[in-house]
Amino acid sequence: MASQIPNKNSSRPLSETFDDPLKTLSLESVRDNLVRIEDSIVFALIERSRFPLNSQAYDTSYLGNHKGHGGRSIAEFFVRETEVFEAKLGRYQNPEEVPFFADDLAFPIVPPYNYPQVLYPAAASVNVSKDIWDMYFKDLLPLFTSESDDGNYVSAAAADLVCLQALSRRIHYGRYVAEVKFRDAPQDYTPAIRAKDRDTLMKLLTFETVEEMVKRRVEKKAKVFGQDVTLDDKNNNTDPEGEPKYKVNPSVVAHLYSKWVMPLTKVVEVEYLLRRLD
Ligand SMILES: O=C(O)C(=O)C[C@]1(C(=O)O)C=C[C@@H](O)C=C1
């Protein structure tokens, strides 16, 4: 097999790099990965926007109270069953993947893959899945879907799962960002970790100019990826002002990032750092 050449500009996820992860891990490489996951998030939102809200998919009484799924919505049932199945095939062997329902997971039937162990073990379990779940269904979904019903509940739930997995991957990647920041400047972080000083940790790891850039970039991605593409320039799908119509409102994507994605990533970073010296 050809040897892998370290490439600091690579945007491959860390778990797919075969180089010594401790050597190739840098703030630049983890940020590259965050940029790549933006594409997945924007495309996932666009796919989900093909369907209206379909609120029956989230109604916990819709499935009735049959054995095994009483009290669960179609969406929750779909996510739980998919996670069980994907766990069997090894998805959660990858430390970058965090399930929403860890209690129910089946043991993998596949041989273990030797994923690089980058995270500090005592901190690796930081998990904000419940916050992501609540934010997605209560706050985000109504912002980019129309409030109607076309009966495509399973298709909508399948699209929800793709959104949730991309958001979870992005937000929990904060553990890797925090690990890099700690390794780059342990002298800065250690006193605040020992003092359990969340506010100072939050200040240390925050880069407002980077956040502003991220917000502008995801808004632009929503514009670029979310336009109808036609060969006839005169026949573009535009609103009365001549502005292109986007599949997902770009300002909703910017809002998603500034209100939820980046704040939750920072919570993950702080919680990770607090356990980093355990
Ligand atoms: O790039 C970083 O340094 C991060 O910690 C990631 C991130 C983000 O979520 O995009 C979070 C905090 C920083 O203020 C800037 C950006």
Side-chain angles (χ1 to χ4, degrees):
M1 201 173 84
S3 67
Q4 300 287 327
I5 315 265
N7 172 9
K8 72 185 175 66
N9 293 321
S10 166
S11 58
R12 282 179 299 155
L14 286 169
S15 53
E16 289 171 21
T17 55
F18 302 99
D19 324 304
D20 176 356
L22 300 186
K23 278 197 197 133
T24 53
L25 199 65
S26 68
L27 194 52
E28 191 190 351
S29 69
V30 293
R31 281 182 175 156
D32 278 351
N33 198 31
L34 293 180
V35 173
R36 175 62 190 84
I37 305 174
E38 285 166 8
D39 299 3
S40 309
I41 291 175
V42 175
F43 281 122
L45 297 177
I46 289 171
E47 277 303 289
R48 177 59 185 85
S49 75
R50 288 169 53 214
F51 307 103
L53 180 60
N54 280 338
S55 58
Q56 300 276 41
Y58 315 106
D59 181 342
T60 51
S61 60
Y62 184 74
L63 288 178
N65 210 8
H66 300 299
K67 202 175 166 207
H69 46 81
R72 287 178 187 162
S73 64
I74 288 183
E76 181 176 338
F77 191 67
F78 192 95
V79 173
R80 281 183 182 270
E81 295 290 314
T82 310
E83 287 192 344
V84 170
F85 160 72
E86 291 189 344
K88 267 192 195 158
L89 296 176
R91 181 174 184 127
Y92 302 107
Q93 289 181 358
N94 180 346
E96 285 182 33
E97 297 282 358
V98 178
F100 284 89
F101 299 105
D103 297 346
D104 281 357
L105 298 187
F107 204 72
I109 57 168
V110 292
Y113 181 86
N114 193 18
Y115 287 102
Q117 297 304 314
V118 169
L119 300 176
Y120 187 72
S125 61
V126 169
N127 187 317
V128 294
S129 295
K130 172 93 174 62
D131 301 276
I132 299 170
W133 182 273
D134 290 345
M135 173 278 286
Y136 179 78
F137 288 112
K138 287 191 195 137
D139 301 313
L140 180 62
L141 199 50
L143 291 184
F144 73 100
T145 51
S146 62
E147 206 188 316
S148 54
D149 186 315
D150 70 356
N152 286 308
Y153 306 143
V154 180
S155 304
D160 289 328
L161 174 62
V162 179
C163 293
L164 285 165
Q165 286 179 330
L167 287 165
S168 172
R169 199 176 173 115
R170 195 292 176 190
I171 290 166
H172 288 115
Y173 203 72
R175 298 169 302 162
Y176 291 82
V177 184
E179 178 61 26
V180 170
K181 288 180 179 173
F182 178 80
R183 281 188 207 168
D184 282 351
Q187 69 288 356
D188 294 347
Y189 286 97
T190 298
I193 295 172
R194 294 215 191 284
K196 301 192 187 326
D197 183 347
R198 285 189 160 75
D199 291 345
T200 301
L201 288 173
M202 189 59 94
K203 275 190 200 116
L204 283 170
L205 60 82
T206 295
F207 294 84
E208 274 162 22
T209 49
V210 175
E211 292 187 23
E212 201 42 47
M213 231 168 52
V214 171
K215 219 171 99 179
R216 284 180 29 229
R217 188 174 53 235
V218 293
E219 186 167 14
K220 186 168 179 185
K221 285 185 180 182
K223 287 183 179 169
V224 174
F225 303 162
Q227 286 183 47
D228 275 342
V229 177
T230 62
L231 292 177
D232 175 3
D233 283 344
K234 287 189 210 102
N235 195 21
N236 276 336
N237 192 5
T238 53
D239 66 17
E241 277 86 52
E243 275 290 299
K245 278 195 193 150
Y246 302 113
K247 294 183 175 108
V248 171
N249 184 342
S251 62
V252 168
V253 181
H255 181 72
L256 161 67
Y257 262 75
S258 68
K259 181 116 192 270
W260 298 302
V261 170
M262 292 192 285
L264 280 172
T265 304
K266 293 202 286 183
V267 168
V268 167
E269 290 187 44
V270 169
E271 293 304 315
Y272 181 91
L273 287 165
L274 285 170
R275 294 161 178 76
R276 183 58 180 75
L277 298 171
D278 287 358

